[in-house]
Amino acid sequence: MAVPSANGRKLHGGEDEGVAIVNGKEEDMQFDPSAPPPFRVAEIRAAIPKHCWVKNPWRSLAYVLRDMMVILSLVCMAVYLKNITSTFWPIYWAAQGTMFWAIFVLGHDCGHGSFSNSHILNNIVGHFLHSAILVPYHGWRISHRTHHQNHGHVENDESWVPIPEKTYKSLDTSTKVFRFKIPFPMFAYPLYLLKRSPGKSGSHFNPYSDLFSPNERHYIVASTICWGIMVVLLFCLSKLIGPLLLFKLYGVPYLIFVAWLDIVTYLHHHGYETKLPWYRGKEWSYLRGGLTTVDRDYGLFNNIHHDIGTHVIHHLFPQIPHYHLIEATKAAKPVLGKYYREPKKSGLIPIHLIENLLRSIKQDHFVSDVGDIVYYQTDDQLTGKKKQ
């Protein structure tokens, strides 16, 4: 089966039309990424060094301390310079928004249990970090667990899940615009927390949402209370320093953080140079779904946001701490073979990913209602492209 092209990739001339250029490298066009892999999860696990599975709580806490010191330092600098120069604000917003995203990733590690072996420590730190950036820790932790357990499944996945054609056609125009027109999808996360994705129902704040089982409801209550306490603290702070300064210190960085989160999580599962499969029914498996994820290189941000772009091995083995993901990926690549897609090398700033993001948002709209292996299709009416 030929793999559909996402961007009309250029083929080499001559008799060999089975080779294409992807990320500056030759890639076999005859390779079918939807074919069942000739290896098992256990073989990948066995290739990863044992020390990569070891969680060091002190090292994890050191990352929290590092990030919080940077955040507080940026706040102090902004407050000190606010009456001296206005040129610092854009620098502050970009830097602080990125740091909000960094502590989200550490809270994400708490949710996976890769932060430490202590559930108590994970939950305390996770609540502290996620509540600080208005994320309901347990609500998101549980829905994200669902995402990992069902990655690549059309109906059961949870994060940036594809929309079946029948559901897509039932959406009103405004929903389609907010989901598929830049910049709206890049600020979708707060809305997702409130009401999930198009075609799904429930809320991360409601303990009776169908996202959660009855024995998880008390977790949701606790996280929603922590979220509410943070809202109250922000309200009190606005009375103390004024809403405008609070918006500058917290509001704008929060929006930058949301953009980081939406862009990175979207590119984990979309925007590769060739379209990747989504599964349902008997064709789906944990391994096949996990192998549709994509690693990304974010240049100087890799270390800042704790190597979240090293995503394939993370998706298969979320228990591995982030500081071992690069080594674990290197060890697993000989087993993964062509099922691992080498990320394009980034410069200092990952501007190369803008093209991947814009192309995917423009082209990847819905999947067929039938078939157990499906690929994204394009709504020509939404893009303004006339059918031939």
Side-chain angles (χ1 to χ4, degrees):
M1 181 181 87
V3 181
S5 171
N7 62 352
R9 302 184 305 170
K10 182 179 179 181
L11 296 175
H12 282 302
E15 296 180 356
D16 185 4
E17 294 186 345
V19 177
I21 300 298
V22 179
N23 291 341
K25 299 178 181 179
E26 290 188 353
E27 183 174 287
D28 184 4
M29 285 287 286
Q30 301 306 314
F31 171 67
D32 179 6
S34 71
F39 49 82
R40 297 173 298 171
V41 172
E43 295 174 65
I44 308 173
R45 182 189 298 271
I48 298 173
K50 291 183 178 180
H51 67 265
C52 288
W53 302 87
V54 177
K55 308 163 192 176
N56 184 336
W58 295 110
R59 184 171 182 178
S60 296
L61 286 168
Y63 283 112
V64 173
L65 179 62
R66 181 195 77 174
D67 289 358
M68 293 307 300
M69 288 181 64
V70 173
I71 288 172
L72 292 174
S73 297
L74 287 169
V75 170
C76 291
M77 292 174 64
V79 171
Y80 176 76
L81 294 173
K82 67 182 177 67
N83 294 324
I84 300 175
T85 176
S86 61
T87 58
F88 180 70
W89 281 118
I91 299 171
Y92 170 82
W93 292 331
Q96 194 71 294
T98 301
M99 293 311 302
F100 281 15
W101 163 235
I103 64 171
F104 172 88
V105 176
L106 292 177
H108 152 276
D109 290 355
C110 293
H112 278 303
S114 61
F115 189 87
S116 78
N117 287 320
S118 169
H119 292 296
I120 295 176
L121 179 62
N122 292 340
N123 288 340
I124 291 174
V125 176
H127 270 107
F128 170 73
L129 295 174
H130 275 191
S131 298
I133 48 176
L134 296 178
V135 175
Y137 171 69
H138 280 308
W140 178 85
R141 174 184 67 82
I142 293 169
S143 74
H144 190 64
R145 180 190 66 196
T146 300
H147 165 53
H148 271 258
Q149 291 174 340
N150 298 278
H151 45 210
H153 193 291
V154 174
E155 281 81 24
N156 298 338
D157 201 346
E158 179 63 28
S159 177
W160 290 113
V161 62
I163 305 174
E165 185 172 7
K166 183 178 179 180
T167 302
Y168 178 85
K169 289 182 177 179
S170 71
L171 299 177
D172 55 46
T173 302
S174 62
T175 300
K176 291 179 181 179
V177 168
F178 276 98
R179 174 63 176 81
F180 298 107
K181 291 288 188 180
I182 296 291
F184 303 115
M186 302 304 95
F187 298 97
Y189 185 64
L191 189 61
Y192 164 72
L193 291 177
L194 284 171
K195 55 184 297 186
R196 297 176 74 191
S197 303
K200 293 180 178 288
S201 62
S203 169
H204 289 75
F205 300 93
N206 181 3
Y208 293 94
S209 169
D210 56 9
L211 273 167
F212 316 117
S213 62
N215 64 351
E216 292 172 331
R217 289 172 182 165
H218 66 287
Y219 292 125
I220 310 309
V221 171
S223 291
T224 301
I225 289 173
C226 290
W227 182 91
I229 291 173
M230 184 61 191
V231 171
V232 171
L233 289 175
L234 289 172
F235 177 78
C236 294
L237 192 58
S238 72
K239 294 294 185 180
L240 183 65
I241 67 174
L244 180 58
L245 181 56
L246 180 64
F247 180 71
K248 289 181 176 180
L249 289 173
Y250 185 91
V252 178
Y254 173 78
L255 294 176
I256 300 296
F257 146 65
V258 168
W260 263 115
L261 187 151
D262 281 327
I263 291 170
V264 172
T265 56
Y266 184 87
L267 289 174
H268 284 160
H269 305 280
H270 298 77
Y272 189 63
E273 278 68 15
T274 53
K275 289 184 181 293
L276 297 176
W278 288 80
Y279 303 100
R280 55 163 68 97
K282 60 182 176 58
E283 291 291 348
W284 182 87
S285 71
Y286 180 82
L287 177 57
R288 293 174 78 180
L291 292 176
T292 64
T293 58
V294 181
D295 278 8
R296 302 289 188 183
D297 183 1
Y298 289 92
L300 70 86
F301 299 104
N302 287 328
N303 180 264
I304 295 173
H305 65 196
H306 309 292
D307 293 312
I308 194 65
T310 309
H311 205 64
V312 177
I313 289 300
H314 165 69
H315 243 272
L316 293 172
F317 307 109
Q319 311 88 348
I320 296 178
H322 75 265
Y323 42 82
H324 290 317
L325 283 174
I326 293 176
E327 181 180 1
T329 298
K330 184 177 180 180
K333 281 163 62 175
V335 178
L336 298 174
K338 292 180 180 179
Y339 288 87
Y340 178 76
R341 288 162 283 277
E342 196 75 40
K344 182 177 181 179
K345 190 68 177 176
S346 175
L348 199 62
I349 306 296
I351 57 175
H352 67 286
L353 294 175
I354 296 175
E355 178 186 354
N356 298 75
L357 176 68
L358 295 180
R359 184 184 66 242
S360 180
I361 291 288
K362 185 177 181 180
Q363 295 181 352
D364 299 339
H365 297 151
F366 62 89
V367 296
S368 174
D369 294 317
V370 298
D372 288 349
I373 302 177
V374 294
Y375 292 84
Y376 267 113
Q377 299 179 44
T378 303
D379 179 359
D380 291 328
Q381 185 176 359
L382 184 66
T383 61
K385 180 180 178 182
K386 295 182 179 179
K387 292 184 178 181
Q388 299 295 326

